Amino acid sequence: MLAELDLRDNPYAEQRRKGFRWLKFDAPLEEAYLAYLLQRYQLPRRIGGIILTLVLLFFLAQDIHFALTHYVPTLSGALIALRLICIAAIQCCAWIGERQTSPMQSQRWIIYGLLSLSLCTLASTLLYQPVLLGLGIPVALDTNFLLLIAIFFPIGHNYWNAVKLALLVCISSWLMLALMLSPEAMPDFWHLLPYQVTALLGLAGMRFSHDHATRAQFLTRGILNHLAGTDGLTGLLNRRAFELRAQQSLQQAQREHKGTALLLMDVDHFKAYNDLYGHPAGDQALRQIGQLLQQQLQRGTDLAARLGGEEFAILLHDCSAQHAQQVARRIIHEAEHRLAIPHAHSNTASHVTLSLGYGLAEPGETLAELYQRTDFALYRAKSSGRNRAEAATPGSQIPFPFSE
Ligand SMILES: Nc1nc2c(ncn2[C@@H]2O[C@H](COP(=O)(O)OP(=O)(O)OP(=O)(O)O)[C@@H](O)[C@H]2O)c(=O)[nH]1
């Protein structure tokens, strides 16, 4: 169903077409996916963090109880210190991670938090091992299971980082135990190892299928959002998406003291064109004009939209008055001479032409105010003969209902 719709220039559709067998998207989309994960799993991540802290506090209480009953000066002090360091490190990483603006950085702090948890757990397992052996308890590897669950828990970090960390934790703990265990304890160790490997593979597999499903869902959402904001005929933004994005772009430009230009265009004598050549030919002409406008965008932040019927708009970010004028004149020229769509019933020219109004935002001006001024310029272009571009002058407005 989605494949039948127009999905030109849609990175989500392109990625879906290419696939993501190794759970990796192309660079800009991967970053957007991480940001989505971090936002979507914010609540589970916080709950996971609280549970983890409670578990560590429980272990801390156990260590204090152990210290009170079988006080071993070096061991008890070291264990309690390790628990405290681990709780502090996790809280610290969570605090810094939450404050990062980039999803890549935020994700890094999740990994640092899990790494400190892994190191402290590994160190405490090693410290406990001689005591447990002394008490006749065989090799204890159960904390590794808990660690693996924490690492693979979907807390918004990249799958492959989770796999690397899990392998690092498992292999280093196995190696250390294999080196420090006495020969009598080795059979127990070999007996427990397959359980660990099975847990590692099982959790990695589950997380893989979860991540795969989340990625597929992310792409579908992206495609649907794109379609909701796209004009079906031309592939440009529709009015709603344009208003939303133009608003954000204007505010950003004003914060950065950069210029923003709005260009409004209307096809001349389009009713006569439809009447003469038919509606499908009219649609084709609108598509060609849409392409022409799209080609005028030089930066990723520039926007082109079909506002409705035969009305189009362009928003140029970080733009000077001179550049806006150049683009406006080029559009008028290219519409008539490059597209050169014959229009035998036009009173203006032998080909389809456009009328255009353009305006540069003034300091503190809202999008609605800029739109009104520019629309007045377009009105002047129409009333003074069509097939021309008129610049909006400051303060020139006609009453026009335009919602912000
Ligand atoms: N083919 C086609 N025509 C459309 C579409 N949307 C609106 N129109 C037509 O665009 C025409 C607009 O006509 P008018 O608003 O009278 O404007 P005009 O004939 O271009 O006259 P001026 O703007 O004054 O030059 C109408 O005939 C609409 O039917 C569309 O999606 N496809």
Side-chain angles (χ1 to χ4, degrees):
M1 164 69 182
L2 286 176
E4 291 162 18
L5 298 164
D6 190 352
L7 295 172
R8 281 170 293 172
D9 299 329
N10 183 332
Y12 298 91
E14 176 62 14
Q15 187 68 61
R16 213 168 72 134
R17 199 184 53 72
K18 277 198 221 165
F20 48 94
R21 205 185 305 166
W22 295 106
L23 297 188
K24 189 117 185 92
F25 293 152
D26 293 343
L29 211 57
E30 184 67 24
E31 184 149 353
Y33 175 66
L34 272 184
Y36 163 78
L37 270 193
L38 287 168
Q39 202 236 335
R40 182 178 160 178
Y41 288 104
Q42 201 172 37
L43 187 64
R45 201 167 55 249
R46 283 186 184 156
I47 294 173
I50 294 169
I51 293 174
L52 195 60
T53 310
L54 289 176
V55 169
L56 289 168
L57 284 172
F58 171 75
F59 282 138
L60 180 67
Q62 263 203 332
D63 290 337
I64 293 171
H65 174 74
F66 176 80
L68 291 174
T69 46
H70 319 268
Y71 186 67
V72 186
T74 44
L75 179 60
S76 302
L79 280 172
I80 292 169
L82 267 175
R83 302 285 184 228
L84 288 172
I85 290 171
C86 189
I87 292 171
I90 286 173
Q91 299 301 330
C92 196
C93 291
W95 192 81
I96 301 174
E98 286 282 311
R99 268 147 198 83
Q100 298 300 311
T101 45
S102 135
M104 295 290 188
Q105 289 295 333
S106 204
Q107 182 203 223
R108 194 166 293 169
W109 284 97
I110 294 176
I111 295 293
Y112 292 156
L114 287 170
L115 196 61
S116 18
L117 172 72
S118 308
L119 288 175
C120 292
T121 311
L122 192 57
S124 62
T125 305
L126 294 175
L127 281 174
Y128 257 122
Q129 209 64 54
V131 180
L132 293 175
L133 285 175
L135 293 171
I137 299 171
V139 185
L141 278 174
D142 35 355
T143 46
N144 266 11
F145 287 112
L146 293 176
L147 261 182
L148 288 178
I149 292 171
I151 290 170
F152 283 115
F153 188 74
I155 47 178
H157 60 281
N158 174 283
Y159 174 76
W160 296 109
N161 283 343
V163 170
K164 280 184 224 158
L165 189 61
L167 282 174
L168 184 77
V169 167
C170 286
I171 293 173
S172 52
S173 66
W174 297 336
L175 278 178
M176 281 192 187
L177 282 172
L179 288 175
M180 64 175 280
L181 282 178
S182 60
E184 307 85 70
M186 283 313 280
D188 282 329
F189 173 72
W190 291 120
H191 180 71
L192 285 175
L193 203 57
Y195 292 100
Q196 290 262 306
V197 176
T198 311
L200 177 64
L201 293 177
L203 283 165
M206 276 194 286
R207 175 71 202 276
F208 186 95
S209 61
H210 178 269
D211 208 54
H212 197 276
T214 316
R215 279 174 189 266
Q217 197 184 32
F218 169 78
L219 292 183
T220 306
R221 269 171 59 114
I223 292 169
L224 291 176
N225 278 342
H226 180 90
L227 287 173
T230 305
D231 170 53
L233 184 70
T234 58
L236 301 182
L237 294 178
N238 61 22
R239 185 180 199 111
R240 194 174 140 270
F242 179 76
E243 281 182 19
L244 208 70
R245 291 177 58 181
Q247 191 78 51
Q248 290 164 350
S249 180
L250 179 65
Q251 283 167 356
Q252 186 192 341
Q254 285 173 338
R255 272 196 304 276
E256 294 168 359
H257 304 288
K258 289 176 176 163
T260 302
L262 177 67
L263 285 72
L264 295 178
M265 287 134 286
D266 189 286
V267 186
D268 299 324
H269 308 298
F270 198 57
K271 185 176 180 320
Y273 185 87
N274 268 333
D275 291 346
L276 181 62
Y277 298 99
H279 212 78
D283 283 355
Q284 179 55 20
L286 292 177
R287 264 189 227 107
Q288 284 178 266
I289 293 165
Q291 273 171 16
L292 170 72
L293 301 188
Q294 187 71 47
Q295 287 159 3
Q296 309 305 317
L297 311 188
Q298 288 173 353
R299 299 162 194 241
T301 43
D302 294 345
L303 309 171
R306 180 173 170 228
L307 298 180
E310 22 71 273
E311 271 179 73
F312 294 87
I314 282 186
L315 192 100
L316 300 173
H317 184 78
D318 191 10
C319 175
S320 65
Q322 195 193 4
H323 181 60
Q325 188 187 50
Q326 273 171 5
V327 176
R329 288 186 177 168
R330 192 167 58 226
I331 290 172
I332 297 295
H333 181 81
E334 291 197 0
E336 187 183 357
H337 300 286
R338 186 158 71 81
L339 295 185
I341 305 165
H343 190 344
H345 282 187
S346 166
N347 295 337
T348 308
S350 54
H351 294 101
V352 168
T353 55
L354 298 178
S355 294
L356 189 155
Y358 64 96
L360 206 70
E362 306 208 339
E365 193 173 36
T366 64
L367 182 64
E369 288 162 352
L370 174 62
Y371 185 95
Q372 282 190 4
R373 278 198 303 124
T374 313
D375 197 53
F376 187 45
L378 170 61
Y379 166 79
R380 282 195 282 113
K382 280 273 181 202
S383 51
S384 59
R386 295 181 173 82
N387 193 20
R388 69 193 60 212
E390 286 284 335
T393 47
S396 56
Q397 291 176 12
I398 48 167
F400 192 85
F402 182 74
S403 60
E404 274 198 69

